[in-house]
Amino acid sequence: MVRITERSRLERVEHILGSGSGILDFAVEGEPNYYTWEGNEGSDWVIDDVDYVENDDEDRFILYPEEDFFICEIEDESVQCWSE
C-alpha cells in the first residue's frame, strides 16, 4: 500500500476500493500495490462514469469504470475520478 499524502493524479486506475469511513484504495494497472487516500466520513469525493459497484450494500465496495480505466485527481480533502 502506497499512501497518497500530496496532490496526485492517477491514470489507468482499474478499480477503486472504498469504505464507509472515507478511505479509498486505487488499483493502478501494472502496480503491485494499491494507492491509498485516507479521507474521513465527511471528505469530498466524486467518482463519475461508474459501470458497476460490487458489494454496494456493505462497508467495503469496489467501483469499476465504464471505460477501461479511471483517471483520478487527488488533493488533501477531495478526490475527483472519471473515465475516458
Side-chain angles (χ1 to χ4, degrees):
M1 169 178 68
V2 178
R3 290 198 194 296
I4 299 171
T5 58
E6 58 188 43
R7 185 176 183 183
S8 302
R9 179 182 173 102
L10 299 177
E11 298 190 12
R12 304 187 70 76
V13 176
E14 296 175 326
H15 64 269
I16 301 168
L17 293 172
S19 74
S21 63
I23 296 173
L24 299 175
D25 295 315
F26 303 89
V28 176
E29 180 185 52
E31 297 286 332
N33 297 308
Y34 282 97
Y35 287 82
T36 299
W37 176 75
E38 294 184 20
N40 56 50
E41 289 184 42
S43 295
D44 182 26
W45 53 272
V46 176
I47 302 173
D48 293 322
D49 306 322
V50 174
D51 184 36
Y52 69 97
V53 179
E54 271 185 36
N55 297 326
D56 61 348
D57 61 343
E58 297 180 18
D59 184 48
R60 294 285 289 172
F61 53 89
I62 306 171
L63 304 169
Y64 293 94
E66 286 179 352
E67 302 298 325
D68 293 332
F69 303 101
F70 287 115
I71 297 169
C72 297
E73 293 279 348
I74 303 163
E75 297 189 18
D76 290 339
E77 293 295 319
S78 67
V79 173
Q80 174 76 41
C81 297
W82 66 92
S83 66
E84 293 182 340

